[in-house]
Amino acid sequence: MFDVIIVGCGPTGAMLAAELRLHGVRVLVVEKETEPASFVRIVGLHIRSIELMAMRGLLDRVLPHGRRRPAGGFFAAIAKPAPEGLDSAHAYLLGIPQPVIVRLLEEHAVALGAQVRHGCAVTGVEQDDEGVTVELADGERLRSRHLVGCDGGRSTVRRLLGVGFPGEPARTETLMGEMEVGVPQEEIAAKVAEIQETDKSFSLGPFGEGVYRVVVPAEGVGDRAEPPTIDDFRQRLRAIAGTDFGVHSPRWLSRFGDATRLAERYRVGRVLLAGDAAHIHPPIGGQGLNLGVQDAFNLGWKLAGQVRGWAPESLLDTYQDERRPVAEDVLDNTRAQMALSSPEPGPRALRRLLTELMDFDEVNRHLIEKITAIGLRYDFGAGPDLLGRRLRDIDVRQGRLYELLHRGRGLLLDRTGRLSTGGWSDRVDHLADPTAALDVPCVLLRPDGHVAWIGDDQRDLDAQLYRWFGAPGRDAPDPVGPKDTARR
Ligand SMILES: Cc1cc2nc3c(=O)[nH]c(=O)nc-3n(C[C@H](O)[C@H](O)[C@H](O)COP(=O)(O)OP(=O)(O)OC[C@H]3O[C@@H](n4cnc5c(N)ncnc54)[C@H](O)[C@@H]3O)c2cc1C
């Protein structure tokens, strides 16, 4: 009997496994593939995801594998630099291949004690009052108290739960791959620039070591159910550019659509959905992986609290309440970005207008804070603007705030020095620090770094500790994790 079985060891599943292990939850991840994905989506980790890596002590491991790029230019690929003074200590984009980020997250989860079984496809899920029974393709049955489907856009778990996935089907398909070319770079660059004047859906550029990344609309070629071939690429390149650039020797070829869908529910009893299993949208703006990893960050401590027995009754439901509206917003902004990328005259005129509007700092800032998720504010009820937002990584007496969050516990940052976390000290750290670079007396941070309370009154604080961390004094055994980073 596991506490939690996670289906799918993509970025969402691996992140969730690690978050659960920080709280000592017994986790098994089952992944149907035996090998990492062969195709390499270069994923941009946006600011909030980079911050999450810093909050769990992973950033030093991730940074050497990525390439830092300016944070701007992502909304509909409109080339505007980011505004000055973004509210983050990590105001950049980190370009990193998806298989690398998945590997690093899986290694992190395993180091914390998660079990991962590759080559196991889940085919059946049944739940009862005590737990969930999972059936694997080879007939083996496993039991857990909870199950989370992190099994991607075609989620088996979502289907077995009967959760609807309404939205728009794919209207356009795109071919993407890496291959070598047979013509000089200058010739390619000139042709690509000419086509991109009117068609933003096409790109062909060098990706190092003589390999080129090709992205081209799939219109009319190949069978959607079959993997694309190099001939499909040649055919589409000839149709769009008048030449196939002599492409040959593909490293990998893939095909993806622009379907946009959102799960009707994120939870059915003991089973939850996260990442692409709960939402899909076109990759424009590079938000899907970021959204999934952030789902996992929101869910991990709540599900751990449920398993450990301290979570208040409604805590687990706040996962859907908080994260589904975020996904709705991402779906909407990708719909807008897709519309702005159309070669039709109307959308092109709109794009020109938005490009002008982005010269206004506030417009540019709003869009970049949306894409990078640093503008996100959960609805925790009435209160100052900071309530519900994440706190940036600030200087504190001992160093940096995010270093104090490595263990995934709550944190009271107390500039008055007279408040107490009392009976919640097994779940919430207390840092009395009059030097903290804050302009409010105290904040209570949830384990995901969002501000749960602002004030200076002990009774108010106790009520909020109760709200987020349950009844005091119901001690849980020592959580696992990098203990050296937690300083009181
Ligand atoms: C071309 C392209 C470019 C992209 N670029 C970006 C970007 O720049 N930034 C960004 O944030 N996002 C990007 N994305 C989106 C991103 O790749 C996805 O959102 C992300 O992979 C979702 O992660 P996940 O863990 O939720 O699901 P997945 O990555 O799909 O992982 C699901 C896992 O579950 C496993 N699985 C499935 N079914 C079962 C089963 N029955 N039993 C056991 N295991 C199962 C799968 O094998 C897989 O490993 C891009 C996507 C595409 C197509």
Side-chain angles (χ1 to χ4, degrees), residues 19-259:
E19 286 298 291
L20 290 167
R21 280 306 302 155
L22 285 177
H23 300 274
V25 171
R26 289 165 303 166
V27 185
L28 173 69
V29 188
V30 284
E31 164 57 53
K32 73 173 180 188
E33 301 295 342
T34 45
E35 300 288 330
S38 58
F39 56 94
V40 183
R41 299 169 199 164
I42 296 287
V43 169
L45 280 190
H46 283 300
I47 298 173
R48 185 56 184 153
S49 301
I50 298 169
E51 289 183 345
L52 303 193
M53 300 298 146
M55 282 167 59
R56 294 298 183 258
L58 281 168
L59 194 54
D60 287 346
R61 249 177 279 169
V62 172
L63 279 179
H65 298 277
R67 191 182 297 174
R68 284 192 205 208
R69 294 174 52 192
F74 281 87
F75 191 83
I78 294 175
K80 289 278 174 190
E84 292 294 308
L86 282 176
D87 179 36
S88 176
H90 303 281
Y92 52 89
L93 175 112
L94 191 69
I96 187 164
Q98 178 155 334
V100 174
I101 193 79
V102 172
R103 176 172 59 77
L104 294 173
L105 289 175
E106 184 179 336
E107 282 171 8
H108 172 56
V110 169
L112 288 170
Q115 288 185 46
V116 183
R117 283 173 63 180
H118 285 265
C120 299
V122 167
T123 53
V125 173
E126 276 170 24
Q127 54 178 320
D128 53 52
D129 289 348
E130 271 78 50
V132 185
T133 304
V134 176
E135 185 161 337
L136 304 181
D138 64 3
E140 185 182 351
R141 288 163 83 85
L142 302 165
R143 241 349 237 166
S144 62
R145 293 170 64 189
H146 295 273
L147 180 124
V148 188
C150 301
D151 50 345
R154 297 200 170 96
S155 171
T156 303
V157 175
R158 189 187 63 234
R159 184 173 49 76
L160 290 169
L161 287 179
V163 170
F165 202 39
E168 300 97 67
R171 277 161 300 193
T172 60
E173 298 254 324
T174 302
L175 299 178
M176 183 164 98
E178 287 180 5
M179 58 207 75
E180 293 178 37
V181 294
V183 294
Q185 161 63 12
E186 308 77 57
E187 209 175 299
I188 295 174
K191 193 75 196 168
V192 169
E194 180 194 322
I195 298 168
Q196 285 185 337
E197 287 273 305
T198 51
D199 188 351
K200 306 287 175 203
S201 57
F202 169 77
S203 72
L204 201 171
F207 237 74
E209 297 172 4
V211 172
Y212 281 66
R213 164 76 60 94
V214 181
V215 181
V216 64
E219 263 165 44
V221 293
D223 175 352
R224 283 174 62 174
E226 296 294 323
T229 64
I230 188 76
D231 277 337
D232 294 336
F233 279 76
R234 290 188 181 119
Q235 196 178 322
R236 289 304 297 146
L237 286 169
R238 281 197 290 269
I240 285 187
T243 164
D244 63 14
F245 300 100
V247 292
H248 63 96
S249 310
R251 301 293 188 271
W252 54 265
L253 306 173
S254 71
R255 179 179 186 127
F256 60 91
D258 65 346

Side-chain angles (χ1 to χ4, degrees), residues 342-358:
S342 156
E344 297 296 318
R348 281 174 61 198
L350 256 182
R351 188 181 178 91
R352 283 193 292 275
L353 187 63
L354 185 68
T355 308
E356 278 171 37
L357 288 174
M358 284 172 74

Side-chain angles (χ1 to χ4, degrees), residues 243-387:
T243 164
D244 63 14
F245 300 100
V247 292
H248 63 96
S249 310
R251 301 293 188 271
W252 54 265
L253 306 173
S254 71
R255 179 179 186 127
F256 60 91
D258 65 346
T260 302
R261 296 182 179 278
L262 180 62
E264 275 169 345
R265 304 171 64 181
Y266 279 21
R267 178 183 177 193
V268 179
R270 294 173 171 275
V271 184
L272 298 111
L273 299 170
D276 275 17
H279 38 69
I280 53 167
H281 56 81
I284 191 162
Q287 296 166 94
L289 178 143
N290 287 272
L291 191 60
V293 164
Q294 290 161 29
D295 283 350
F297 217 70
N298 183 286
L299 175 60
W301 67 279
K302 295 173 181 175
L303 185 54
Q306 181 83 14
V307 168
R308 304 310 300 256
W310 56 254
E313 190 63 28
S314 57
L315 185 67
L316 198 52
D317 285 330
T318 66
Y319 164 61
Q320 168 172 315
D321 297 344
E322 291 171 7
R323 294 304 298 172
R324 199 169 173 278
V326 175
E328 262 176 326
D329 193 55
V330 170
L331 263 54
D332 256 2
N333 85 48
T334 51
R335 285 182 180 107
Q337 293 184 71
M338 288 301 281
L340 288 163
S341 306
S342 156
E344 297 296 318
R348 281 174 61 198
L350 256 182
R351 188 181 178 91
R352 283 193 292 275
L353 187 63
L354 185 68
T355 308
E356 278 171 37
L357 288 174
M358 284 172 74
D359 285 339
F360 291 94
D361 183 86
E362 274 191 41
V363 176
N364 195 14
R365 191 174 296 275
H366 176 78
L367 293 176
I368 203 161
E369 287 183 351
K370 190 183 267 299
I371 289 251
T372 61
I374 59 171
L376 178 61
R377 182 174 189 237
Y378 294 135
D379 182 5
F380 294 166
D385 183 62
L386 188 59
L387 184 68

